[in-house]
Amino acid sequence: MHRLSFLLLALLFLFSSESAWAGNNSDPIKLKPFNIDKTLHSITLSNVHVVDIENRKIIENQDIIIEGSLIKEVRPHKPNQIFQTDTIIQANGSYVIPSICDMHHHMTPSDFDFSGNTPERQIEILEDQLQYGIQAIMNPNISLDATNFILDENRVGESPYLILTGPSIGPKKGWGSHQVSSKEEISIIIEQLHTMGIQVVKFTYDDLSWLGGQMPVLEPELLKHIIETSHGKGMKAIAHVADLSRAKELLRMGLDGLVHGIVS
């Protein structure tokens, strides 16, 4: 039996075979998600095409038997077969994929469109992601006001698992929301984020030279202090960095993750 991760649970996402491109590349894909009640003890997904991500192939016409949070069995579909499960979903040739983790999502209507993006609107966008098969999101730069609002669980309905970093840390007159110049300022910010329940600290190490800019960056001793202070609080430290040599420098300091790809 294959145990689903805590993000996937027993909720798989199905795409109707009708949702393929209809010959026109400008046409959007229309998704038809099945609403699977995760409280049910056992479920059969009957006659599905399984998208095997690991082996890069599609296994057609399968039945998936789910018990609680376990995928008990995947077997070839047989017409008129009798299933001993609480619920049977006739998928009729739909596709099953693992749910998706989006590790850089600012909960905005589109890339770099922050206009009118109130905390209420961000919650709506967050909840909408389930219909696209997204079950985990990390928002790597969000205001403290919006963070406090969204962390109130009474305001958020059924939605993906959410990781927030709060505002990013950066140098004075540089790239970053919390602009600092001392270890003391950094310690105060990280303590505030920790008290709020934030699990990840984001900071910048980018002069934007790859975009033709020339902005100041944090000194190495401040970079190391961010990473060490975060770890001391049981938090992860991630960085916005675009230069390969700077990325390696941070990783040697103990950085946990890079937010962007390397462009240098």
Side-chain angles (χ1 to χ4, degrees), residues 41-69:
H41 179 67
S42 59
I43 301 170
T44 295
L45 306 180
S46 176
N47 192 20
V48 298
H49 301 327
V50 177
V51 180
D52 185 342
I53 303 297
E54 184 175 0
N55 296 304
R56 302 178 65 84
K57 63 181 181 180
I58 296 176
I59 307 172
E60 297 186 345
N61 306 115
Q62 300 291 301
D63 293 330
I64 300 178
I65 313 300
I66 300 170
E67 290 190 358
S69 61

Side-chain angles (χ1 to χ4, degrees), residues 28-255:
I29 295 179
K30 296 180 179 179
L31 306 181
K32 292 186 177 180
F34 289 80
N35 184 19
I36 299 176
D37 186 348
K38 300 187 291 294
T39 63
L40 293 175
H41 179 67
S42 59
I43 301 170
T44 295
L45 306 180
S46 176
N47 192 20
V48 298
H49 301 327
V50 177
V51 180
D52 185 342
I53 303 297
E54 184 175 0
N55 296 304
R56 302 178 65 84
K57 63 181 181 180
I58 296 176
I59 307 172
E60 297 186 345
N61 306 115
Q62 300 291 301
D63 293 330
I64 300 178
I65 313 300
I66 300 170
E67 290 190 358
S69 61
L70 297 178
I71 297 177
K72 181 180 180 182
E73 185 179 3
V74 179
R75 65 193 184 200
H77 173 72
K78 296 180 180 179
N80 304 317
Q81 186 169 356
I82 298 176
F83 300 102
Q84 304 298 322
T85 55
D86 297 331
T87 296
I88 301 172
I89 297 176
Q90 300 291 347
N92 300 321
S94 296
Y95 292 85
V96 177
I97 67 170
S99 57
I100 300 166
C101 300
D102 189 339
M103 292 293 96
H104 197 130
H105 194 304
H106 289 290
M107 294 151 61
T108 58
S110 61
D111 290 345
F112 300 107
D113 179 8
F114 294 90
S115 59
N117 202 36
T118 64
E120 291 87 353
R121 177 61 179 140
Q122 287 182 298
I123 288 177
E124 291 178 3
I125 293 170
L126 173 65
E127 294 172 347
D128 284 346
Q129 301 314 301
L130 282 182
Q131 67 176 312
Y132 301 112
I134 298 173
Q135 287 223 331
I137 284 176
M138 182 171 72
N139 188 333
N141 192 25
I142 182 171
S143 72
L144 290 179
D145 288 342
T147 298
N148 276 319
F149 189 90
I150 293 169
L151 286 178
D152 185 339
E153 296 180 355
N154 294 324
R155 293 193 175 100
V156 182
E158 189 75 12
S159 66
Y161 181 85
L162 180 62
I163 302 171
L164 301 175
T165 67
S168 60
I169 301 173
K172 297 288 187 183
K173 299 182 179 180
W175 183 259
S177 300
H178 278 308
Q179 298 193 353
V180 301
S181 59
S182 70
K183 292 181 179 180
E184 290 74 21
E185 290 175 294
I186 290 169
S187 296
I188 291 171
I189 292 168
I190 294 177
E191 176 61 32
Q192 182 181 23
L193 296 176
H194 180 259
T195 301
M196 293 173 62
I198 299 298
Q199 300 168 317
V200 182
V201 175
K202 177 192 174 184
F203 63 95
T204 66
Y205 192 29
D206 187 0
D207 60 8
L208 298 185
S209 57
W210 56 282
L211 287 177
Q214 191 60 51
M215 302 184 76
V217 296
L218 291 166
E219 295 295 329
E221 63 176 10
L222 298 183
L223 298 169
K224 188 174 182 180
H225 185 69
I226 293 173
I227 295 171
E228 291 180 347
T229 304
S230 299
H231 290 170
K233 298 287 185 182
M235 304 164 78
K236 301 295 185 182
I238 61 174
H240 169 115
V241 56
D243 178 79
L244 179 59
S245 62
R246 284 177 172 157
K248 289 181 177 180
E249 181 184 352
L250 293 177
L251 291 170
R252 293 187 183 103
M253 291 181 183
L255 185 75

